[in-house]
Amino acid sequence: MTIQLSVLDQSPLLQGNNERDALKQTIELAKHVDQLGYKRFWMSEHHSTKSLAGSAPEILVSSVAANTKQIRVGTGGVLLPHYSPYKVAESFRVLEGLYPERIDLGVGRAPGGMPGVNYALNRGKYPDVHSYPTQVSHLIDYLLGKDPEGYQVKATPLGETTPPVHMLGSSGGSASVAGQLGTGYTFAQFINGDGSPVAIDRYYNSFIPSPMMQEPYASVAIFAVIGDTDKEAEFLASSLDQALLMIEQGQVREFFPSPEEASQQTYNMYEQARINENRKRMIIGDVRSVKQQIEDLAHAFQVNEVMVNVIVSPFERRLESYTKLAKAFNM
């Protein structure tokens, strides 16, 4: 089985960097992996989060696409319950017009931040997540030039090509919806370490061909930490260990700590247990080990594409990590 590698980027603030640095690094990383031959570059949506700068991925898509040549560029993903399907369709029809056949529209239903984010994005109201399948259906219809809500409107600009829709999920809830609507599906293992191939099996089993896709297409996204040795990889992974633990403890995280700082932290037995649990969301080791783990993951989930999210310090190590993976997979 030939595995294609892609990138999921969250515009992380590394220690010693600011928000502007993080956004610039997203562009630099995209240019780097474009040259290496990665298939896609997706950006996530996070709100009111100091350590992640990517609050408007649809804007970053435009900048990344303008600075790259061949890699597909998209969102991982637009949090649709917060927005009008019509407006999202028009935004991505514009992007498709600017960069034809290079744009992916990934959507999700997560809140994208702390509880208050839901109210701030929805003018004081809580979004109706139960209508998410209907929203995705309307979004697809608008992209295809239809008028699903009967308002006598079209999502413009119309064009010869349409960006494909992919649904992202960290549980099996959206897998069946993705299959029934005929979209792509990406399982977020980097969010849910207890994820299993069951969600993607559900997607495959429920897939109905659509104008979006005639065949099912699934992928899986995972954190990866790559060192020159397993020992160095563990050292580098200490940053992500501490950062994820801080999120779970409700601490305000200004940035991702350096491994020099994080590796000196001590944890009680409960904290260590959480760190061990979060390791299910990561692949860690030297490049040979990481390659094997990626292949095992792809085989277990029966997918041909793995999206890799590398958050290590300094930024140059992130670039090196993706270079090592590209060489390991003969890209």
Side-chain angles (χ1 to χ4, degrees), residues 78-328:
V78 170
L79 304 179
L80 194 57
H82 297 315
Y83 310 117
S84 154
Y86 178 69
K87 177 57 180 175
V88 173
E90 289 208 317
S91 295
F92 279 79
R93 287 235 56 96
V94 169
L95 289 167
E96 181 70 15
L98 291 170
Y99 311 103
E101 299 186 333
R102 287 187 58 205
I103 301 300
D104 293 328
L105 172 47
V107 297
R109 65 177 178 183
M114 299 300 288
V117 165
N118 286 300
Y119 298 103
L121 286 172
N122 292 278
R123 294 178 291 180
K125 299 179 181 179
Y126 197 87
D128 180 12
V129 296
H130 299 294
S131 65
Y132 177 63
T134 301
Q135 282 189 298
V136 178
S137 178
H138 288 171
L139 172 64
I140 292 170
D141 283 344
Y142 279 129
L143 286 168
L144 295 173
K146 300 178 182 178
D147 180 21
E149 297 177 286
Y151 295 138
Q152 300 183 0
V153 297
K154 299 285 186 181
T156 55
L158 301 175
E160 297 179 357
T161 60
T162 301
V165 173
H166 298 259
M167 293 182 66
L168 288 81
S170 57
S171 66
S174 57
S176 296
V177 178
Q180 292 163 8
L181 294 178
T183 73
Y185 181 71
T186 298
F187 184 80
Q189 181 80 7
F190 76 102
I191 294 176
N192 179 13
D194 289 323
S196 71
V198 172
I200 287 183
D201 287 342
R202 185 181 299 177
Y203 165 70
Y204 286 144
N205 292 332
S206 63
F207 185 84
I208 300 172
S210 73
M212 276 285 150
M213 292 185 181
Q214 290 298 302
E215 301 287 338
Y217 192 89
S219 59
V220 59
I222 188 93
F223 282 123
V225 181
I226 305 155
D228 291 332
T229 63
D230 286 342
K231 182 178 181 180
E232 185 187 46
E234 286 290 330
F235 170 72
L236 294 171
S238 64
S239 297
L240 196 53
D241 286 337
Q242 184 181 358
L244 295 178
L245 182 63
M246 290 176 68
I247 292 175
E248 293 183 350
Q249 293 176 336
Q251 299 183 48
V252 176
R253 192 184 66 195
E254 303 282 345
F255 48 75
F256 284 80
S258 70
E260 289 79 11
E261 175 187 304
S263 62
Q264 299 303 311
Q265 293 292 314
T266 56
Y267 303 103
N268 62 40
M269 61 181 294
Y270 302 104
E271 291 171 330
Q272 189 60 56
R274 287 308 310 162
I275 288 173
N276 294 340
E277 188 69 18
N278 282 329
R279 285 294 184 95
K280 296 178 182 179
R281 301 157 63 179
M282 311 176 200
I283 288 174
I284 301 169
D286 65 15
V287 68
R288 178 180 294 183
S289 172
V290 169
K291 179 177 184 290
Q292 184 62 56
Q293 291 178 70
I294 288 176
E295 291 173 341
D296 292 345
L297 183 72
H299 178 75
F301 279 81
Q302 297 185 36
V303 298
N304 295 321
E305 181 179 352
V306 176
M307 305 197 80
V308 182
N309 184 359
V310 177
I311 301 179
V312 296
S313 296
F315 175 64
E316 289 71 25
R317 291 306 299 262
R318 294 184 71 204
L319 299 178
E320 291 173 10
S321 297
Y322 286 109
T323 300
K324 289 176 180 178
L325 274 183
K327 291 181 179 178

